[in-house]
Amino acid sequence: MAESGELARHWRYAELPGVDLLRARYVRKTFVRHTHEHFVIAAIAEGVEVFAHRGADQYAGAGALALVNPDTPHTGRAGVPEGWRYGAVYPSPDVVAGIAAETTTLRGAVGFVRPVLDDPYAATLVHRVLRAAEEGNALAADTLLRVAVTRLLRLNGGPLPQREIRSAGARIAARARAALEDRLVDPPTLDQLAEDLGTGSFALLRAFRDTYGLPPHAWLTDARVRRARRLLDAGTAPAEAAVAVGFTDQPHLNRHFARIVGVPPGAYQRERKNVQDAAGPAPLASGTWQNRQLTRTQLTRTQPTRTQLTWTQFTPAQQAPTQPTRAPRRTPGENRTAPSYGTPSP
């Protein structure tokens, strides 16, 4: 894997409602501490990702999955010089709960117990979900997603701990969060917020961080990006979305958006508008991405169109590396050819 040429694509497939999709290759990319409203199911294809999760660094290498529950603060960065390459699905809590109720004995608010699971087969299932979505195979994408989530819940699932606001500090933190949500565009200072709540600044800071895993200013940025995503999904221009959520301008939004979502807001909006137009050129199949890098010639010949799902590339020269990548490590006896669609066992 060459050190230059970071690529990412964040998109939706209309036939998988409630699910976001991502393919990415990062080398120097660093994700700040943030949260997601959806689950994170990230299958590492190559390299190593390191992410801080509940007070400890977690390492996920090829064949492993990084699993993060909704509203759980975490970071992300490369664990090796060559970075990491992965595919991810982000199902909503409702999607996961529905699959759990249908295929497991888990009920209610369910999630993942451990943040890293070494399971090459489940990782392969995630990549096959992405490939099916790219190819417009709705039956395969839906089937494989359900099989993948079922397998992960059976191997690593459990009830999510319910956050009960009992202590005085937790109650103050909840009131502070509600105040920040109401004043997302024009938030108070920490001193002003503490005074309004009848507490001290450091007491509020400590209570908020203990309750939500982020200090108030970081939570505010996270909340602004979440709201910006909704506006972008609704068709609002990035510059307008930036001001609407409290950022000074679009570059301000760009900086924070890319450090949380992984792609700039403009690319994010374009990809999510390009939801499987059968009249457009065929998008790059994920199987191609799994086995080899795109060559410069291929990138030149495959010019993106308005209806085509394409990679967002983060290189000064705007070109993909020509150096081939190594195949992910595989366990002994593992089939080196991805199984056909069919209906695999969870």
Side-chain angles (χ1 to χ4, degrees):
M1 185 184 297
E3 289 190 358
S4 62
E6 297 192 340
L7 305 107
R9 179 172 55 189
H10 198 299
W11 83 103
R12 281 178 174 174
Y13 177 41
E15 302 303 327
L16 287 181
V19 182
D20 289 341
L21 308 169
L22 174 72
R23 281 203 178 281
R25 173 186 179 272
Y26 297 123
V27 180
R28 293 174 296 274
K29 184 75 173 178
T30 299
F31 289 90
V32 298
R33 189 175 296 274
H34 64 286
T35 64
H36 294 280
E37 294 178 287
H38 289 192
F39 285 87
V40 178
I41 302 176
I44 311 301
E46 189 175 78
V48 177
E49 180 186 12
V50 183
F51 60 104
H53 180 278
R54 298 196 181 280
D57 278 347
Q58 305 293 334
Y59 293 77
L65 299 105
L67 305 170
V68 182
N69 295 321
D71 297 314
T72 302
H74 61 286
T75 63
R77 69 181 192 275
V80 290
E82 57 269 29
W84 80 104
R85 179 167 58 85
Y86 68 111
V89 295
Y90 300 82
S92 70
D94 287 343
V95 169
V96 172
I99 295 174
E102 185 178 358
T103 62
T104 75
T105 59
L106 299 171
R107 295 295 181 269
V110 301
F112 301 121
V113 176
R114 300 185 303 278
V116 176
L117 181 67
D118 189 4
D119 186 353
Y121 180 61
T124 297
L125 287 174
V126 171
H127 289 296
R128 291 169 62 196
V129 172
L130 297 173
R131 183 173 64 200
E134 288 169 328
E135 294 174 348
N137 191 330
L139 180 59
D142 189 23
T143 300
L144 292 164
L145 177 70
R146 292 174 181 276
V147 172
V149 172
T150 297
R151 179 178 177 86
L152 292 173
L153 289 175
R154 288 177 179 174
L155 294 175
N156 188 38
L160 285 175
Q162 298 300 304
R163 180 182 288 127
E164 297 184 12
I165 301 176
R166 293 180 177 177
S167 69
R171 288 194 294 271
I172 288 175
R175 291 171 59 198
R177 173 174 170 163
L180 291 175
E181 286 177 336
D182 290 339
R183 298 186 58 182
L184 206 64
V185 176
D186 182 27
T189 66
L190 182 63
D191 285 343
Q192 291 170 342
L193 184 58
E195 183 178 351
D196 291 344
L197 297 175
T199 187
S201 300
F202 286 104
L204 172 59
L205 178 61
R206 182 170 56 251
F208 200 99
R209 188 166 47 204
D210 290 346
T211 303
Y212 298 111
L214 297 167
H217 72 278
W219 182 91
L220 179 68
T221 299
D222 201 49
R224 284 173 167 173
V225 170
R226 283 191 182 193
R227 189 170 295 183
R229 288 183 63 176
R230 297 190 190 103
L231 291 174
L232 293 170
D233 288 343
T236 303
E240 296 176 8
V243 176
V245 301
F247 290 115
T248 55
D249 52 24
Q250 185 174 340
H252 192 195
L253 169 64
N254 290 354
R255 182 167 65 255
H256 290 292
F257 197 96
R259 295 171 67 194
I260 289 176
V261 181
V263 296
Y268 169 90
Q269 188 177 59
R270 285 193 302 272
E271 293 288 5
R272 292 163 75 87
K273 282 183 177 178
N274 296 338
V275 179
Q276 289 301 330
D277 187 337
L284 173 67
S286 62
T288 304
W289 175 248
Q290 293 176 35
N291 295 324
R292 58 182 172 82
Q293 293 287 345
L294 285 174
T295 65
R296 188 175 301 139
T297 301
Q298 288 171 311
L299 283 176
T300 302
R301 292 178 179 174
T302 309
Q303 296 297 327
T305 67
R306 189 176 65 85
T307 56
Q308 184 180 7
L309 295 175
T310 58
W311 286 92
T312 298
Q313 196 167 354
F314 305 102
T315 57
Q318 291 297 303
Q319 62 188 26
T322 58
Q323 179 178 341
T325 62
R326 296 180 181 178
R329 291 184 179 179
R330 302 180 183 275
T331 56
E334 183 185 353
N335 187 354
R336 292 182 176 272
T337 302
S340 59
Y341 283 131
T343 305
S345 302

